[in-house]
Amino acid sequence: MRPLRPTRLLSLESGLWALDETQPVAAVLDLRTGKVERIVSWPEVPAEPVPTPWPPPRLLPDGPSFWTHPHGDAPLVRIGPDGVELAVWTHGLRLSAVGPDGVWCVPSPPPQDIVRTADGRPSWGLQPAQLLHVGRGGRPRRTNVDAPVRAAQAEESGFFIALDDEPWHLEPLGADLHEVVWNTRWFRIPWGAEIGDELRDVAEPVEHGPEVRTEDGRGTHSWLDPWSAGADRHGVRLEGARWGFGWRADGMAAAAGHLVALVHNAEGNPLRRIDLGRGTTTSAALVGTGPAERLTVAVRRDVPGVLRAPVDVLTVQRGGDVSLLLGADSVDVADHVRPLAPRPLESGSYVRQVLASNGRLQEHWRTDEGFFPLVEGMTAVRARLVGDWPDTVLEWTFEHPDRPGARLRRRIPLFDESGRITPPDTAAVVLMEDFQTGQVPGTEHAVGGFIDF
């Protein structure tokens, strides 16, 4: 069995799509009852690169379907209840917006331009760029703009884009460094406009750009920041209020990983907090309309010692009542996942190098006064490799006076589910941060003398 781990939610006309965190598969739930109506997969779409880019690829609703673009070398695809409906080559342009007449793709924003003197000049000028419009039937049409694209967004009245423009100025960053900041000019392309070779033929200058939105569609989020406790960052609007998510801050050690939904009014004032249990929220979506409108939330239940954390999908009613919509491990998608990739030729060399470079946590920090351990007080540190490809993990164990009589254990997968190399470049720092923020179970949770965290 390979259980669905739905960490992204989309509310579409065809149902509530609960998309798996790594595999190209989703369970589609009835919007009224929550019953799983079908399993949809798209294994022919190229997998995302490793390490996985952040933020994840956008998921933009389009009626009963959605558009996504895994990465620059992958096709732009529209996925519906029967799988892939359209696939378009974009030549590196990224999915930006969906409208009544199709999809717009734009280039990535220009990289940050840093100069080292107060009288420095831009490293590059206003280079022209291309946009791609894909019509409803999949017909692609490229058009030119005369400057880099800084931002883009779909609105009811059309597609808005922001282009760099003269004049520019230098913004001090400190340490004698300055960032080149260009002026911005906004344009609107009405939906249904006939797209030609030059965008200026149909683009209308506007004085101001639209209000920046983080939602995709009806308040649906393709990802959420679990640290977001305020009403102004990555929230979801429901019944005139903005819902955000965060971990309880009262008694950090006791409440580590304890998730709450935070409800604020239009002015940003807190209204109430709703307990969602221990875990991390990864996505939220609105379901239903009118008085029946409700919030669905995907919550990853981080279980000590479990490498692939199970995920619950919860329903939160307007009044704050919480119920389980889709339980962890309740949907088997083993028949819909990508096959295991060939074993990497360098896998043996890779794991040996990882072990060698991560084998001395007791001498992790180097200063003029000598070497210091990754976590103050850790002793009897041991690092080893456990398991064979693709299930090889790096295992650290150590003792600490805060957990007498037990050894602490952290396991890090060295390959992803498809068998591809996933270097644990930040694993040591994450271990340190988890320890210092109290996210370590007490000794009463030790099993066989080990505390997994």
Side-chain angles (χ1 to χ4, degrees):
M1 177 180 180
R2 189 337 189 139
L4 180 74
R5 295 191 289 269
T7 56
R8 305 182 77 181
L9 303 175
L10 276 178
S11 181
L12 306 177
E13 294 176 5
S14 53
L16 176 67
W17 289 57
L19 289 88
D20 190 79
E21 64 176 344
T22 59
Q23 293 288 349
V25 61
V28 183
L29 283 64
D30 183 272
L31 291 173
R32 183 176 55 86
T33 65
K35 177 185 176 182
V36 176
E37 294 291 328
R38 65 175 69 199
I39 303 297
V40 181
S41 62
W42 49 99
E44 63 270 40
V45 177
E48 298 172 13
V50 288
T52 303
W54 183 260
R58 301 189 72 185
L59 308 175
L60 298 185
D62 188 11
S65 309
F66 70 92
W67 290 87
T68 188
H69 189 199
H71 55 88
D73 295 329
L76 168 72
V77 291
R78 188 175 70 202
I79 296 170
D82 295 320
V84 175
E85 298 174 338
L86 279 174
V88 181
W89 180 68
T90 71
H91 201 195
L93 299 179
R94 58 188 178 87
L95 174 63
S96 176
V98 175
D101 63 357
V103 177
W104 282 97
C105 296
V106 303
S108 298
Q112 190 177 28
D113 191 358
I114 304 296
V115 298
R116 297 185 176 276
T117 61
D119 58 353
R121 299 189 59 80
S123 302
W124 49 85
L126 297 177
Q127 301 297 322
Q130 273 197 338
L131 308 181
L132 175 66
H133 180 265
V134 181
R136 303 296 304 176
R139 176 177 176 267
R141 187 72 171 89
R142 292 183 180 271
T143 186
N144 299 304
V145 292
D146 58 5
V149 179
R150 184 62 58 175
Q153 187 166 304
E155 293 292 329
E156 185 175 348
S157 63
F159 177 57
F160 287 75
I161 61 168
L163 303 182
D164 284 352
D165 192 16
E166 297 278 4
W168 54 269
H169 68 276
L170 296 181
E171 191 72 28
L173 299 177
D176 295 328
L177 298 177
H178 299 76
E179 179 182 6
V180 177
V181 178
W182 293 87
N183 193 23
T184 300
R185 49 182 174 139
W186 281 92
F187 295 87
R188 181 178 72 91
I189 300 95
W191 299 120
E194 184 66 30
I195 307 301
D197 292 338
E198 301 294 333
L199 195 68
R200 63 172 175 261
D201 295 336
V202 295
E204 305 168 349
V206 293
E207 187 174 351
H208 301 290
E211 178 185 357
V212 176
R213 290 180 286 106
T214 58
E215 295 90 354
D216 294 337
R218 296 181 53 248
T220 300
H221 284 257
S222 54
W223 61 275
L224 289 174
D225 179 359
W227 287 103
S228 175
D232 58 342
R233 296 184 58 218
H234 310 310
V236 178
R237 293 189 183 278
L238 175 62
E239 199 183 22
R242 181 171 287 278
W243 296 52
F245 304 90
W247 288 314
R248 270 175 38 190
D250 52 317
M252 189 70 164
H258 204 92
L259 184 67
V260 292
L262 305 137
V263 188
H264 299 74
N265 61 19
E267 290 73 36
N269 300 315
L271 297 177
R272 60 184 178 272
R273 302 187 346 165
I274 301 170
D275 192 336
L276 300 180
R278 295 177 65 88
T280 303
T281 183
T282 61
S283 186
L286 296 176
V287 174
T289 58
E293 191 174 45
R294 58 206 182 276
L295 188 68
T296 56
V297 186
V299 179
R300 180 186 288 116
R301 303 298 189 186
D302 299 311
V303 180
V306 176
L307 299 180
R308 315 289 183 188
V311 179
D312 286 331
V313 179
L314 309 178
T315 295
V316 184
Q317 303 290 346
R318 289 171 178 258
D321 292 338
V322 180
S323 59
L324 182 65
L325 180 64
L326 188 67
D329 301 343
S330 62
V331 179
D332 185 6
V333 294
D335 294 335
H336 303 275
V337 301
R338 291 190 178 96
L340 192 65
R343 179 169 183 159
L345 182 64
E346 72 276 29
S347 60
S349 172
Y350 158 65
V351 298
R352 289 191 296 270
Q353 291 184 57
V354 166
L355 180 61
S357 59
N358 289 276
R360 300 187 64 82
L361 297 189
Q362 69 274 24
E363 296 180 354
H364 187 81
W365 306 114
R366 182 176 182 177
T367 69
D368 293 339
E369 300 177 0
F371 290 92
F372 294 88
L374 175 71
V375 175
E376 184 178 357
M378 68 188 322
T379 58
V381 181
R382 181 185 179 188
R384 65 172 185 153
L385 300 174
V386 178
D388 194 15
W389 177 88
D391 301 316
T392 310
V393 299
L394 172 66
E395 180 187 274
W396 284 314
T397 60
F398 61 94
E399 297 176 4
H400 196 277
D402 288 351
R403 299 294 186 271
R407 287 184 65 81
L408 290 91
R409 180 166 59 189
R410 170 63 60 93
R411 291 172 171 168
I412 305 100
L414 298 186
F415 302 90
D416 70 3
E417 191 176 8
S418 297
R420 301 178 300 172
I421 289 173
T422 55
D425 295 333
T426 62
V429 174
V430 172
L431 183 153
M432 177 192 68
E433 291 175 343
D434 288 349
F435 196 93
Q436 292 181 343
T437 56
Q439 300 189 57
V440 179
T443 53
E444 69 275 13
H445 295 285
V447 177
F450 291 95
I451 301 174
D452 287 296
F453 75 107

